[in-house]
Amino acid sequence: MVPRIHRLILAHPLRTGIVALYFLLILALFPGRMSLTPEETFSHDPGAYSGAAIHLATEVFYSLDGVTPFLEREPGYSFFLTTIYFFFGLENRAAIFAVQALLTLASAIVLTSELRRIAPQSAPDMALLLLLLLPSVLHTVFSAYRENFALTLA
């Protein structure tokens, strides 16, 4: 895997710069997002996903109250959060943001790799640029919404 990443990213100065800029932006945005209260991070939809994930992690039951099954949301993102909570602790926002940032980078690299096979030389570079540096993508990295998880699976 490392030689492949070297060929895809590190052997190309433009791609290396895009990935480096992505990490710099993540590091620059991280303190500001962590300064928000957990109530702001886990309000509305993220609160439902996180609440269901907490019950999955503690009771192995997909529920918001621990008594009735939760039927309003699909369980995919809650299962993702449950995995993070299992390894890093309940509602660990730093872990959620870090894992989502790494998954975003990994999915962009995989897409770039596949695009290299069928598109002109500059297309993978443009795709990597858009997939990593668009403000909307950076916003989803620092939110507890399912959109980032869905983008990494696409």
Side-chain angles (χ1 to χ4, degrees):
M1 182 69 177
V2 172
R4 188 171 185 172
I5 290 175
H6 181 270
R7 252 185 303 126
L8 288 173
I9 303 299
L10 301 177
H12 299 282
L14 178 61
R15 293 180 196 151
T16 303
I18 293 169
V19 171
L21 184 56
Y22 173 73
F23 278 120
L24 287 173
L25 287 170
I26 293 294
L27 290 174
L29 294 170
F30 195 81
R33 293 304 292 189
M34 289 303 295
S35 70
L36 297 175
T37 64
E39 291 78 22
E40 290 177 276
T41 303
F42 296 113
S43 63
H44 307 294
D45 289 349
Y49 292 123
S50 181
I54 288 170
H55 284 285
L56 274 170
T58 58
E59 302 163 0
V60 193
F61 184 54
Y62 187 60
S63 171
L64 285 181
D65 59 9
V67 178
T68 56
F70 186 47
L71 303 174
E72 294 177 25
R73 304 253 185 257
E74 67 280 350
Y77 190 68
S78 292
F79 280 114
F80 171 70
L81 288 177
T82 300
T83 305
I84 293 173
Y85 293 171
F86 177 78
F87 289 106
F88 301 105
L90 298 178
E91 292 191 336
N92 186 335
R93 295 176 304 144
I96 294 169
F97 301 156
V99 169
Q100 289 186 156
L102 291 174
L103 283 176
T104 298
L105 177 62
S107 66
I109 290 172
V110 168
L111 180 66
T112 301
S113 169
E114 294 301 314
L115 196 56
R116 283 185 65 222
R117 297 177 188 188
I118 60 171
Q121 180 65 27
S122 61
D125 297 337
M126 291 303 298
L128 188 66
L129 180 77
L130 293 174
L131 287 170
L132 294 181
L133 302 182
L134 277 177
S136 57
V137 172
L138 292 170
H139 174 71
T140 64
V141 166
F142 290 107
S143 66
Y145 284 101
R146 65 188 165 102
E147 281 74 7
N148 184 269
F149 184 63
L151 281 173
T152 60
L153 295 177

